[in-house]
């Protein structure tokens, strides 16, 4: 089947020029072109352009337009399958498919295959979401675990996996699996806005479907809290220092792999206040490697260092000879932020009311690049014991983290002492 050309090939690589629409354009029936690329046009002109007519379709019989419609539906259901989780969308698809396939056995077989593939994909994502719900349900409250299990027999991350390189690989498994279930339409739904030019109140955009995108953001937060919990939990400061150095090695290997999301989550966990205040613990840590990693993820200059490293990983991925070299897992919260500001900072319509195609080309460029990265198959061997621990081990809440931190290294002033007493009473009282 003919493939849709990549957006990068269509969009001008020289950058996003907001003033381009002010230059001279070719006007063809209300559609404006610049260097043979569609730049803008009224919604009415776009619709009219797509309506078959005598010149556009010399033969108006359904068999003439059916292959094009079938191709469109195939690409739509393969690229944006989550659109059809809405019952109305699925019903409309089946009705249209029935009209196309009526009286033609070949089209009927193709339509049946299309629907089977779509239903299979939707069933797979539903099963995945059920698994996520079960994983969340199995997590118990961390203070309860501490209350009922002596510290000496409680498991920690190093007991489960003493090799930081293996842990980085298992984190990459989780990242790629969760990325794989995020549909491009979830980005659209996350930032959808009411078009002021659109008076149609019966549209589908009220059906927000962003569960997998939100679950991935929650995974980042969980990993950050898991790192902080593992550091604050040990009684002896030499053990806490060992855990910090362990996670520094994990983070460095994540950087080498191209797993920037886990890298940033680990750094975030180590920079949380309950961890950073453990001065006696940090004094025993060789911090040079940590500062290098912090420099790579420094937010100054709009994350310039990270963006440079990301471009390097993306270039490596394009010329890769193995799945190991293809891995690019972006810092997801920053990707979301970039897409959000592009969406918010540029109008959907130009001042003349035309659709702003430049904005949507750039959005498509960013999301299509992400779609390419998320399809990489993880090359590392799975370790179910480690994965189970990472996904289900209880983690501390904010209050529990501060309590554990104060009990590891005592309060330094009256304000901390009062907070420690309040937290101890509140957290253990809930248990």
């Amino acid at each position: 089947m003919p493939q849709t050309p990549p957006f990068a090939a269509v969009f001008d690589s020289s950058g996003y020029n907001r003033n381009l629409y002010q230059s001279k354009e070719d006007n063809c029936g209300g559609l404006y072109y610049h260097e043979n690329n569609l730049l803008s046009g009224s919604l009415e002109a776009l619709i009219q352009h797509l309506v078959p007519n005598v010149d556009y379709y010399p033969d108006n019989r359904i068999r003439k337009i059916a292959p094009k419609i079938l191709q469109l539906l195939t690409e739509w259901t393969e690229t944006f399958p989550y659109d059809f989780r809405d019952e109305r969308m699925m019903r409309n698809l089946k009705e249209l498919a029935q009209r196309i396939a009526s009286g033609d056995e070949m089209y009927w077989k193709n339509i049946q295959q299309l629907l089977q593939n779509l239903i299979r994909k939707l069933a797979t994502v539903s099963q995945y979401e059920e698994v996520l719900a079960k994983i969340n349900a199995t997590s118990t409250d961390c203070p309860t675990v501490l209350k009922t299990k002596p510290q000496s027999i409680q498991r920690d991350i190093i007991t489960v996996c003493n090799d930081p390189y293996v842990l980085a690989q298992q984190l990459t498994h989780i990242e790629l699996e969760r990325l794989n279930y995020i549909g491009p339409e979830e980005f659209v739904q996350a930032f959808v806005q009411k078009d002021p030019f659109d008076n149609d109140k019966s549209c589908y955009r009220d059906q927000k479907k962003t569960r997998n995108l939100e679950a991935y953001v929650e995974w980042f937060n969980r990993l950050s809290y898991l790192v902080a919990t593992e550091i604050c939990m040990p009684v002896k400061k030499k053990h806490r220092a060992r855990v910090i150095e362990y996670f520094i090695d994990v983070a460095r290997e994540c950087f080498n792999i191209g797993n920037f999301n886990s890298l940033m989550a680990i750094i975030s966990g180590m920079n949380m206040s309950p961890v950073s205040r453990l001065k006696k613990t940090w004094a025993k840590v060789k911090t040079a490697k940590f500062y290098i990693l912090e420099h790579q993820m420094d937010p100054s200059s709009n994350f310039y260092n990270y963006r440079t490293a990301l471009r390097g990983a993306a270039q490596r991925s394009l010329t890769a000879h193995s799945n190991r070299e293809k891995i690019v897992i972006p810092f997801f919260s920053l990707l979301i932020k970039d897409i959000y500001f592009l969406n918010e900072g540029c109008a959907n319509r130009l001042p003349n009311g035309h659709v702003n195609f430049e904005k949507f080309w750039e959005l498509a460029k960013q999301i299509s690049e992400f779609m390419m990265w998320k399809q990489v198959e993880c090359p590392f061997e799975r370790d179910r014991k480690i994965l189970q621990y990472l996904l289900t081990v209880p983690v501390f809440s904010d209050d529990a983290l501060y309590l554990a931190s104060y009990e590891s290294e005592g309060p330094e002033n009256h304000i901390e002492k009062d907070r420690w007493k309040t937290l101890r009473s509140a957290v253990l009282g809930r248990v």
Side-chain angles (χ1 to χ4, degrees):
M1 189 184 80
Q3 296 296 307
T4 302
F7 286 109
V10 181
F11 187 80
D12 183 6
S13 61
S14 62
Y16 181 66
N17 182 2
R18 290 184 176 84
N19 297 319
L20 190 60
Y21 71 85
Q22 295 176 348
S23 62
K24 186 177 180 180
E25 306 119 349
D26 297 323
N27 183 355
C28 299
L31 300 179
Y32 289 79
Y33 293 83
H34 179 80
E35 297 179 353
N36 295 322
N37 285 330
L38 181 60
L39 183 65
S40 71
S42 67
L43 189 59
E44 293 76 14
L46 290 169
I47 293 173
Q48 188 61 39
H49 180 63
L50 296 174
V51 173
N53 55 54
V54 175
D55 297 324
Y56 194 30
Y57 285 115
D59 190 335
N60 289 322
R61 291 177 299 176
I62 189 65
R63 290 189 180 185
K64 284 290 184 180
I65 64 172
K68 297 293 184 181
I69 298 177
L70 182 58
Q71 179 185 342
L72 171 63
L73 293 179
T74 301
E75 294 193 14
W76 187 357
T77 55
E78 288 179 353
T79 309
F80 304 102
Y82 297 178
D83 282 348
F84 300 93
R85 301 186 79 178
D86 187 294
E87 292 182 2
R88 295 170 295 176
M89 290 289 290
M90 180 63 84
R91 184 169 61 250
N92 289 340
L93 173 63
K94 290 180 177 178
E95 289 176 357
L96 179 58
Q98 181 70 31
R99 293 179 62 185
I100 295 173
S102 60
D104 192 306
E105 185 177 352
M106 182 186 70
Y107 289 148
W108 178 253
K109 289 181 179 178
N110 291 337
I111 287 293
Q112 288 302 305
Q113 187 64 46
L114 179 153
L115 292 174
Q116 288 174 11
N117 291 341
L118 176 60
I119 291 171
R120 190 181 303 114
K121 287 182 180 180
L122 297 182
T124 300
V125 73
S126 295
Q127 292 170 2
Y128 164 75
E129 290 170 354
E130 289 175 6
V131 169
L132 284 185
K134 289 179 181 178
I135 289 174
N136 294 334
T138 56
S139 297
T140 55
D141 187 33
C142 203
T144 304
V145 175
L146 292 174
K147 182 87 172 179
T148 57
K149 252 189 182 177
Q151 183 74 39
S152 59
I153 64 171
Q154 179 144 337
R155 291 190 306 164
D156 61 16
I157 190 65
I158 298 179
T159 303
V160 175
C161 176
N162 61 7
D163 188 338
Y165 299 100
V166 173
L167 188 74
Q169 294 172 358
Q170 299 309 304
L171 288 172
T172 303
H173 261 295
I174 296 173
E175 298 280 356
L176 287 174
E177 180 182 60
R178 299 206 170 194
L179 279 180
N180 186 54
Y181 283 98
I182 298 175
E185 55 273 76
E186 294 195 49
F187 290 98
V188 177
Q189 291 288 357
F191 306 125
V192 72
Q193 290 183 340
K194 172 67 177 176
D195 190 332
F197 289 86
D198 187 1
N199 296 319
D200 182 12
K201 297 181 180 180
S202 61
C203 57
Y204 295 119
R205 57 175 161 257
D206 59 329
Q207 301 292 323
K208 280 205 166 187
K209 304 290 185 183
T210 58
R211 279 173 283 187
N212 298 303
L213 189 151
E214 292 167 3
Y216 190 53
V217 174
E218 290 169 3
W219 155 248
F220 178 94
N221 295 333
R222 171 180 170 77
L223 180 54
S224 296
Y225 276 84
L226 173 60
V227 170
T229 299
E230 294 285 343
I231 294 172
C232 291
M233 191 180 295
V235 173
K236 297 181 179 180
K237 60 177 174 285
K238 69 176 182 180
H239 292 161
R240 294 194 296 274
R242 183 187 173 202
V243 174
I244 290 176
E245 291 183 339
Y246 173 85
F247 275 117
I248 291 173
D249 288 337
V250 174
R252 186 172 64 168
E253 182 60 15
C254 285
F255 179 84
N256 293 335
I257 290 173
N259 181 358
F260 298 105
N261 201 57
S262 288
L263 165 62
M264 194 61 181
I266 293 170
I267 292 176
S268 298
M270 289 194 283
N271 280 328
M272 292 177 73
S273 295
V275 176
S276 62
R277 68 168 297 277
L278 300 173
K279 297 176 182 177
K280 296 177 182 177
T281 301
W282 281 97
K284 290 185 169 291
V285 175
K286 298 175 182 178
T287 55
K289 291 184 290 186
F290 179 64
Y291 293 146
I292 292 173
L293 292 171
E294 276 197 314
H295 177 71
Q296 289 290 343
M297 304 303 287
D298 185 357
S300 62
S301 300
N302 194 21
F303 286 89
Y304 175 82
N305 293 337
Y306 158 71
R307 293 183 188 277
T308 301
L310 180 66
R311 284 196 299 271
Q315 187 61 38
R316 179 190 66 184
S317 179
L318 291 174
T319 59
H321 299 290
S322 67
N323 282 339
R324 171 68 173 78
E325 296 174 325
K326 290 180 181 179
I327 296 173
V328 183
I329 302 173
F331 173 29
F332 195 66
S333 294
L334 186 59
L335 175 66
I336 292 291
K337 179 182 175 183
D338 288 344
I339 295 173
Y340 173 81
F341 281 111
L342 174 60
N343 186 61
E344 292 292 309
C346 304
N348 291 343
R349 305 280 186 136
L350 299 176
N352 60 6
H354 289 183
V355 177
N356 185 357
F357 266 82
E358 283 189 283
K359 168 185 175 175
F360 294 111
W361 280 130
E362 182 63 20
L363 283 171
K365 178 184 174 184
Q366 292 195 22
I367 295 176
S368 60
E369 189 174 42
F370 167 79
M371 295 300 292
M372 180 176 63
W373 293 338
K374 84 184 189 77
Q375 292 171 3
V376 174
E377 185 176 343
C378 188
F380 307 119
E381 185 178 350
R382 294 175 66 92
D383 188 311
R384 295 186 65 181
K385 181 181 68 173
I386 299 173
L387 292 172
Q388 181 76 5
Y389 185 88
L390 290 170
L391 292 170
T392 63
V393 68
V395 297
F396 283 139
S397 64
D398 285 311
D399 286 348
L401 277 175
Y402 272 106
L403 177 59
S405 179
Y406 289 142
E407 296 199 346
S408 295
E409 294 185 18
E412 296 181 349
N413 52 54
H414 291 297
I415 295 176
E416 287 192 346
K417 285 181 181 179
D418 290 341
R419 185 176 188 183
W420 172 61
K421 292 178 182 178
T422 302
L423 287 174
R424 187 175 179 85
S425 175
V427 173
L428 296 181
R430 286 199 295 268
V431 175

